[in-house]
Amino acid sequence: MSANTRVTVWNEYRHERKDAEVAKVYPEGIHRALQSGLAAFGFDVATATLDEPEHGLTEIALDRTDVLVWWGHMAHEEVDDGIVARVQRRVLEGMGLIVLHSGHYSKIFRKLMGTTCGLKWREADEKERLWIVKPSHPIAAGLPEFIELDKEEMYGEHFDIPDPDELVLVSWFEGGEVFRSGVTYARGQGKIFYFRPGHETYPTYYKEPILKVIANAIRWAASERGAAPFYGNAQPLESISLKT
């Protein structure tokens, strides 16, 4: 399945061009680091960034995308509402969506969740331990009991999201906070996964366990759907011929 799965990694690509500290960690951008890391799992990976025409998310680009990976932080409000509606439509039609780190405040995630998606944070060099709390889930395949990151930004509860369909990972931080750091949703025919780690000043997206979580989530989000629903004016059931 991986070799046929078409992934687009979307990134603002602003921090890397404005902040020397971030540029040292991701000299070609977070999107390029993710593209390289995810290509190693056999995916067909393209990229798109905020300052491209239509933010790189043209109808053609989205039509060739099975799973969209989204990273944003400092320019959420610059994303055009028409492009947000376009992405939402594709998710409802069945495109997978993986939202990373500060993408929780993106227009597309808030639109799909219907809440503020607010949380508390602290920028400090804190240890994060991500516990796998649903080891039977496909996103947890091949992972250890927990993933430890020596340095990350803290996110803490309360996280203002709808109750997840599935809770896969929970984070603990040195400061004592916990956070629902890996959650899934279904919207229409689309599958959504939010994954917490990935502050721009840390090399989180070069770490194999983190990339494996994202790769597992891509496979899960791209997997086959169930029955295709029909919407609209329906015939009486007795007049429908059911073929076996």
Side-chain angles (χ1 to χ4, degrees), residues 200-220:
E200 64 273 6
T201 58
Y202 303 113
T204 301
Y205 294 131
Y206 297 113
K207 297 184 182 297
E208 194 277 336
I210 297 300
L211 289 169
K212 188 170 182 62
V213 171
I214 299 170
N216 285 348
I218 289 169
R219 294 189 190 100
W220 166 81

Side-chain angles (χ1 to χ4, degrees), residues 14-25:
R14 290 285 181 82
H15 285 287
E16 303 94 315
R17 292 183 291 155
K18 294 177 178 290
D19 189 320
E21 183 182 2
V22 179
K24 284 172 58 178
V25 181

Side-chain angles (χ1 to χ4, degrees), residues 116-207:
T116 70
C117 300
L119 47 82
K120 62 170 66 75
W121 73 90
R122 181 171 57 250
E123 291 191 29
D125 292 344
E126 292 191 36
K127 180 185 295 184
E128 176 180 6
R129 184 170 288 175
L130 297 113
W131 288 94
I132 311 298
V133 295
K134 191 165 187 179
S136 63
H137 198 281
I139 292 175
L143 293 171
E145 188 177 21
F146 64 85
I147 300 167
E148 192 161 284
L149 300 173
D150 291 337
K151 295 180 180 181
E152 253 294 351
E153 179 183 27
M154 185 281 292
Y155 278 9
E157 296 286 348
H158 175 247
F159 188 14
D160 186 22
I161 52 175
D163 289 343
D165 295 344
E166 299 162 302
L167 178 60
V168 184
L169 298 106
V170 170
S171 287
W172 164 89
F173 296 88
E174 281 186 272
E177 291 85 1
V178 296
F179 190 77
R180 289 168 290 168
S181 54
V183 295
T184 74
Y185 296 93
R187 293 292 185 269
Q189 291 291 292
K191 298 178 182 180
I192 301 167
F193 180 61
Y194 171 77
F195 188 41
R196 196 219 71 83
H199 188 62
E200 64 273 6
T201 58
Y202 303 113
T204 301
Y205 294 131
Y206 297 113
K207 297 184 182 297

Side-chain angles (χ1 to χ4, degrees), residues 4-47:
N4 298 320
T5 301
R6 302 165 300 175
V7 178
T8 298
V9 176
W10 190 89
N11 176 29
E12 285 178 352
Y13 195 35
R14 290 285 181 82
H15 285 287
E16 303 94 315
R17 292 183 291 155
K18 294 177 178 290
D19 189 320
E21 183 182 2
V22 179
K24 284 172 58 178
V25 181
Y26 296 106
E28 296 182 353
I30 288 172
H31 55 299
R32 295 298 184 194
L34 285 168
Q35 181 184 39
S36 177
L38 294 173
F41 289 88
F43 301 117
D44 175 6
V45 188
T47 66

